[in-house]
């Protein structure tokens, strides 16, 4: 059956909120790396619902980018009229993060998030009226209109201009790092997925799949100098992704002859007396491909440039 999310929610690998955290004494394990967390998902996101858990507390869902378990009270089933309207109407893309969205009576519905898209009903000089979904009675869909300021939303996709790129990067940078989008935050791949969404660019959910979108250039067999030369020659600022196993980054350009990237990163790997560790960053940053190089206990084997696998340009 077709459904929609009511609020920002988590999609889980199994129908439980209990985390699976590995040995916290190991670098890159323990909190916040909950292996039950598949992804987060924003409010009013379309879903297909496959089946319930035995106790009907959870539903198994398919979104446009992943699948897994959600709590049954976090979704509501929608009718064919809504589905048709949502598919055929113009869209309002959210361009401001964390703004409260209210219905016509002033009741809070949910917060705005970059990457969110809502069906347009009408507009005036200062705002858009969009169709949103809540629920009432026995979990029945309640269709409401909400006004969104034109400072928060944009009708149809954004032009890929330097001004708009700067705006969206600033907005997605307002959330810190968290694995799988736990606690309302983002990880590396969801940051880039949401960054590209207002420009009408769809990306898969995880870093390995994102690295295969568009024109892909492999770094297999190349040393650090050769990788650097190839990036400087072929990468396009704010359009090219750089990938290493488990992590994805956005190429920004060249500054003082250094390659600059934008990334949402948990930390810098360290090694002291053979013991691995982390210097925690936990937020989106701009950096070079030699992040951590000047730390006394930096693990040189883990440097970004050394471990780059490929780059891919997602916009022509």
């Amino acid at each position: 059956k077709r459904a929609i999310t009511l609020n920002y929610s988590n999609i889980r690998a199994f129908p439980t909120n209990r985390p699976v955290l590995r040995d916290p004494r190991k670098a890159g394990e323990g909190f916040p790396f909950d292996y039950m967390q598949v992804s987060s998902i924003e409010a009013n996101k379309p879903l297909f619902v496959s089946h319930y858990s035995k106790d009907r507390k959870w539903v198994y869902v398919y979104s446009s980018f992943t699948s897994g378990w959600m709590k049954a009270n976090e979704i509501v089933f929608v009718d064919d009229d809504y589905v048709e309207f949502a598919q055929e109407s113009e869209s309002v893309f959210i361009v401001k993060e964390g703004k409260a969205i209210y219905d016509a009576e002033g009741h809070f519905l949910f917060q705005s998030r970059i990457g969110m898209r809502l069906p347009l009903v009408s507009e005036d000089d200062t705002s858009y009226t969009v169709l949103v979904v809540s629920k009432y009675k026995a979990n029945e869909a309640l269709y409401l209109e909400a006004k969104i300021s034109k400072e928060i939303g944009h009708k149809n996709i954004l032009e890929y201009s330097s001004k708009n790129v700067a705006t969206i990067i600033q907005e997605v940078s307002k959330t810190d790092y968290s694995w799988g989008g736990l606690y309302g935050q983002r990880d590396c791949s969801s940051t880039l997925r949401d960054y590209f969404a207002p420009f009408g660019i769809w990306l898969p959910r995880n870093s390995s799949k994102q690295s295969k979108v568009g024109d892909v250039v492999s770094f297999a067999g190349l040393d650090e100098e050769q990788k650097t030369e190839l990036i400087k020659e072929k990468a396009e600022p704010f359009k090219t992704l750089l990938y290493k196993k488990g992590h994805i980054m956005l190429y920004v350009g060249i500054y003082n002859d250094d390659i600059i990237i934008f990334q949402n990163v948990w930390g810098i790997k360290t090694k002291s007396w053979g013991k691995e560790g982390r210097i925690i960053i936990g937020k989106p940053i701009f950096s070079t491909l030699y992040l951590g190089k000047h730390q006394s206990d930096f693990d040189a084997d883990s440097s970004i440039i050394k471990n780059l696998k490929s780059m891919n340009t997602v916009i022509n």
Side-chain angles (χ1 to χ4, degrees):
K1 296 182 69 174
R2 301 181 194 218
I4 204 161
T5 56
L6 295 168
N7 296 289
Y8 181 88
S9 303
N10 294 318
I11 298 178
R12 307 287 287 172
F14 283 89
T16 177
N17 278 327
R18 293 188 64 180
V20 171
L21 302 172
R22 296 179 181 172
D23 189 348
R25 294 170 295 182
K26 294 181 179 180
E29 298 294 352
F31 181 86
F33 299 100
D34 174 9
Y35 288 90
M36 281 293 100
Q37 180 72 3
V38 174
S39 181
S40 60
I41 188 167
E42 66 264 29
N44 271 219
K45 185 74 173 178
L47 303 168
F48 285 115
V49 177
S50 169
H51 57 283
Y52 283 91
S53 59
K54 188 175 182 180
D55 59 9
R56 301 183 69 82
K57 182 179 177 181
W58 297 79
V59 286
Y60 196 89
V61 304
Y62 293 83
S63 75
S64 63
F65 57 90
T66 194
S67 64
W69 292 95
M70 287 183 63
K71 284 189 173 181
N73 61 6
E74 294 177 332
I75 65 108
V76 67
F77 295 108
V78 291
D79 59 32
D80 291 343
D81 289 340
Y82 171 80
V83 172
E84 183 179 356
F85 179 82
Q87 291 177 333
E88 295 183 357
S89 67
E90 292 184 285
S91 297
V92 173
F93 288 84
I94 297 298
V95 296
K96 292 291 183 181
E97 184 83 6
K99 301 297 184 180
I101 306 297
Y102 303 95
D103 67 16
E105 304 299 322
H107 301 121
F108 175 82
L109 295 168
F110 46 77
Q111 285 190 313
S112 67
R113 284 182 66 86
I114 302 298
M116 183 181 288
R117 180 173 66 91
L118 298 167
L120 176 67
V121 175
S122 63
E123 67 175 298
D124 56 33
D125 291 341
T126 61
S127 64
Y128 301 110
T129 298
V130 295
L131 185 63
V132 295
V133 183
S134 186
K135 69 175 181 177
Y136 74 115
K137 293 184 179 178
N139 204 33
E140 294 179 34
L142 177 63
Y143 303 103
L144 302 167
E145 291 186 354
K147 279 202 170 186
I148 295 179
S149 164
K150 290 188 174 181
E151 294 179 355
I152 297 175
H154 184 275
K155 186 171 72 173
N156 299 326
I157 62 174
L158 283 174
E159 177 189 1
Y160 209 82
S161 66
S162 57
K163 178 182 177 182
N164 289 336
V165 163
T167 296
I168 299 303
I169 281 188
Q170 182 181 38
E171 293 301 313
V172 295
S173 295
K174 290 180 178 179
T175 54
D176 293 332
Y177 180 93
S178 191
W179 173 268
L182 281 167
Y183 316 113
Q185 310 302 320
R186 292 180 172 92
D187 56 22
C188 64
S189 55
S190 62
T191 297
L192 295 187
R193 176 181 160 78
D194 288 349
Y195 160 75
F196 279 105
F199 301 106
I201 305 298
W202 182 91
L203 288 183
R205 176 60 181 85
N206 62 49
S207 58
S208 64
K209 291 182 179 179
Q210 288 183 358
S211 72
K212 296 176 175 62
V213 174
D215 298 323
V216 180
V217 177
S218 173
F219 294 145
L222 303 184
D223 60 25
E224 294 181 14
E225 184 176 343
Q226 290 170 322
K227 291 177 185 178
T228 299
E229 290 176 358
L230 193 56
I231 292 169
K232 288 181 176 180
E233 176 188 351
K234 293 186 175 295
E236 297 188 39
F238 300 99
K239 299 179 181 180
T240 298
L241 306 183
L242 300 177
Y243 170 72
K244 71 183 188 76
K245 186 177 180 181
H247 190 54
I248 196 93
M249 301 147 277
L250 179 68
Y251 171 74
V252 169
I254 309 297
Y255 182 76
N256 288 341
D257 204 37
D258 284 326
I259 294 168
I260 305 300
I261 57 173
F262 173 72
Q263 58 176 327
N264 195 349
V265 61
W266 178 239
I268 300 168
K269 289 186 178 181
T270 61
K271 183 175 284 188
S272 180
W273 299 97
K275 185 177 181 180
E276 294 183 346
R278 285 288 191 282
I279 297 172
I280 304 302
I281 297 173
K283 62 181 179 181
I285 60 168
F286 292 91
S287 75
T288 72
L289 293 175
Y290 292 89
L291 177 66
K293 178 180 178 180
H294 301 294
Q295 298 292 330
S296 59
D297 54 354
F298 175 62
D299 181 3
D301 289 334
S302 70
S303 72
I304 297 172
I305 184 69
K306 184 173 184 177
N307 290 279
L308 280 181
K309 300 288 187 185
S310 64
M311 66 178 177
N312 57 301
T313 300
V314 300
I315 301 178
N316 293 326

